[in-house]
Amino acid sequence: MDTLKIPETDVEPGKQAVNVSGGLRVRVLEPRDAENVRAILRQHHAMTVFRDQPFSDWKLNEHYDLIFSRPPRMIAPMAEWDGKAVGVAWAIADSYMLSDGPLFVTVHVIAVDLDLGPVRRAKIFLALVGAIRQWAASLNASHSFIHVTTGSNIEATDRLMKAAGARYVGGAYVV
């Protein structure tokens, strides 16, 4: 995979992209992607433990406003296959609350178009994780935490996370 270098600030949309394989490409989310990504996020929401709560277009629009303002230490890589939006992630870097040490990255969402086949979805997921890892490395972040909150297909998710080089360090409990 080519190197995806996304600086902490001043990301120029459309300028930083990496062709992963075949027609798969990862780049920074742009306003023109909003509606296509919204459909993917709706699919994702319907598979989470929060699916009983109505999807909030208003809240997503607020997130978009923040993401598109390109704040430092925030990234939203998106994947496209042959020019079509097929996945998105959103991550933030910050310091640990009990330390003045290095930054760590919190990945709040990775969502992939569920209409695609499982192998293609896995490739897209891994490409998004790879983009976040490269961004985290550019910040000298000590850790990247990916929060898995779907609550569905946990065994397959665990295999995919391990394929991405992730190590299980605990979990989320829902009561």
Side-chain angles (χ1 to χ4, degrees), residues 5 12 37 45 88 103 105 111 115 119 122 126 157 159 168 170:
K5 293 184 180 177
E12 211 174 322
V37 167
H45 176 74
V88 67
L103 296 173
V105 171
D115 292 333
V119 172
L126 293 172
T157 301
R159 286 191 305 273
Y168 182 73

Side-chain angles (χ1 to χ4, degrees), residues 27-45:
R27 62 175 172 76
V28 175
L29 182 71
E30 298 177 18
R32 67 184 170 97
D33 304 313
E35 292 313 306
N36 292 328
V37 167
R38 182 182 310 272
I40 293 167
L41 291 170
R42 281 183 174 278
Q43 288 178 332
H44 176 78
H45 176 74

Side-chain angles (χ1 to χ4, degrees), residues 4 7 9 13 19 23 32 43 49 52 54 56 69 74 79-80 90-91 98 102 105 114-115 120-121 126 129 138 173:
L4 176 67
T9 58
N19 292 319
R32 67 184 170 97
Q43 288 178 332
V49 296
D52 62 331
S56 175
S69 73
M74 179 184 293
E80 56 184 18
W90 177 44
L98 301 176
V105 171
L114 297 175
D115 292 333
R120 186 164 283 186
R121 287 194 317 263
L126 293 172
V129 170
S138 78
Y173 296 89

Side-chain angles (χ1 to χ4, degrees), residues 23-146:
L24 180 57
R25 183 179 121 127
V26 176
R27 62 175 172 76
V28 175
L29 182 71
E30 298 177 18
R32 67 184 170 97
D33 304 313
E35 292 313 306
N36 292 328
V37 167
R38 182 182 310 272
I40 293 167
L41 291 170
R42 281 183 174 278
Q43 288 178 332
H44 176 78
H45 176 74
M47 298 299 295
T48 70
V49 296
F50 305 108
R51 61 186 162 269
D52 62 331
Q53 300 175 22
F55 184 89
S56 175
D57 285 302
W58 175 85
K59 191 166 190 177
L60 180 58
N61 290 340
E62 292 294 307
H63 285 300
Y64 279 160
D65 287 346
L66 177 62
I67 290 165
F68 297 143
S69 73
R70 305 280 183 236
R73 300 192 307 203
M74 179 184 293
I75 192 155
M78 66 105 24
E80 56 184 18
W81 202 294
D82 292 333
K84 178 184 183 266
V86 292
V88 67
W90 177 44
I92 297 172
D94 203 350
S95 59
Y96 175 59
M97 65 183 267
L98 301 176
S99 170
D100 292 326
L103 296 173
F104 73 95
V105 171
T106 300
V107 180
H108 290 280
V109 69
I110 301 175
V112 177
D113 186 343
L114 297 175
D115 292 333
L116 301 172
V119 172
R120 186 164 283 186
R121 287 194 317 263
K123 286 181 181 182
I124 294 162
F125 181 91
L126 293 172
L128 290 167
V129 170
I132 291 167
R133 289 177 75 161
Q134 290 181 13
W135 175 70
S138 78
L139 299 174
N140 294 317
S142 63
H143 298 82
S144 293
F145 294 94
I146 299 175

